[in-house]
Amino acid sequence: MTQAPRADDRLIVAMDVPNAVAGLQLADQLGDAVSFYKIGLGTLTGGGLGLANELKQERGKRIFLDMKLFDIGATVENAVRGLAQFDLDFLTVHGDPYVVRAAQEGAAGKDLKILAVTILTSLDRQDLDTALIKEGAVQDLVLERAGNALAAGADGVIASPQEAALIRALPEAQGKLIVTPGVRPTGAALGDQKRVATPANAIADGADHIVVGRPIWQAQDPRGAAEAILTELSSI
């Protein structure tokens, strides 16, 4: 494996591109400025696992596979056991305690970190109402789900920057990871995100990693956009 220079891995770039070819082109543009990539479902069907393997094994990058697994326990366990063979770094599952426990069984003996999804950063209270999610403020539900998932053995949680400080204060969060999507540099378009913060604010509030996608890969100069975020993080 060719060991890439290690950039600040608090920045995870979301490769929300249609296929592996586009992913490799983005990685070429970003070069050694970025050391950590997220590959999600949209890229998975276009060779995403092959892309993950090449970035990890050939370019020395860290990989976050964002699959948000949700199924019966046995199926989750088997799926995670298969994915764990790819030597990945992070994998997301839904934060239901039985899902988390099954995922940890599947990841046993590997370095793969299981991250539990609390409530998607694209959702607000109205969205939760239409999905028949129980009443309560979004922050309260995120905290409850985060605490339950961490108690069930999750290595960390996915949560919006606006809940990062509250989750970090939970006793169950000691020594655990907090990864925050919904991060937007000052002046960037919000897109479909509703609970957002700037990169510096997200880290200052307790996040270990921030996930940034469109503000980087849609930029005319993706590397310049990534470096601007890294410069902002260097002050934290």
Side-chain angles (χ1 to χ4, degrees):
M1 178 182 72
T2 301
Q3 184 61 49
R6 182 61 67 196
D8 186 342
D9 68 2
R10 291 179 296 176
L11 171 63
I12 301 176
V13 173
M15 276 196 164
D16 297 327
V17 294
N19 54 53
V21 173
L24 290 175
Q25 290 173 343
L26 178 60
D28 287 340
Q29 289 178 296
L30 295 174
D32 60 6
V34 172
S35 62
F36 212 152
Y37 287 101
K38 179 177 84 74
I39 296 175
L41 291 174
T43 307
L44 191 70
T45 54
L49 281 178
L51 172 62
N53 191 58
E54 177 159 347
L55 290 173
K56 179 76 176 185
Q57 301 302 328
E58 301 299 324
R59 304 195 186 197
K61 306 298 185 181
R62 301 187 71 192
I63 299 297
F64 167 12
L65 193 62
D66 186 18
M67 296 197 66
K68 301 181 180 71
L69 296 175
F70 180 72
D71 212 310
I72 64 172
T75 299
V76 170
E77 180 179 344
N78 289 334
V80 173
R81 182 171 292 113
L83 291 169
Q85 306 307 309
F86 286 87
D87 190 29
L88 306 174
D89 296 277
F90 294 171
L91 173 68
T92 50
V93 303
H94 275 256
D96 304 66
Y98 82 90
V99 174
V100 171
R101 288 190 291 267
Q104 287 291 18
E105 287 293 322
K110 301 293 185 178
D111 292 330
L112 179 64
K113 301 297 186 185
I114 301 298
L115 304 181
V117 175
T118 54
I119 294 176
L120 299 177
T121 53
S122 61
L123 303 182
D124 58 19
R125 184 62 254 181
Q126 183 176 352
D127 297 316
L128 299 184
D129 290 339
T130 59
L132 304 181
I133 303 299
K134 77 175 188 177
E135 294 181 357
V138 173
Q139 283 190 345
D140 293 339
L141 296 181
V142 168
L143 283 175
E144 183 177 1
R145 284 183 62 80
N148 289 343
L150 293 170
D155 296 300
V157 296
I158 306 292
S160 93
Q162 296 182 13
E163 287 101 35
L166 297 173
I167 292 173
R168 181 56 69 202
L170 292 173
E172 298 91 341
Q174 185 174 357
K176 302 289 187 173
L177 295 165
I178 298 175
V179 178
T180 60
V183 173
R184 291 289 182 269
T186 301
L190 297 184
D192 57 3
Q193 301 294 338
K194 296 179 180 176
R195 305 191 327 274
V196 302
T198 65
N201 285 343
I203 294 295
D205 284 344
D208 297 285
H209 300 274
I210 60 170
V211 179
V212 184
R214 281 165 287 191
I216 290 176
W217 63 260
Q218 286 186 344
Q220 289 187 341
D221 177 11
R223 181 174 180 126
E227 288 176 337
I229 293 172
L230 291 168
T231 296
E232 181 178 336
L233 293 184
S234 68
S235 65
I236 303 300

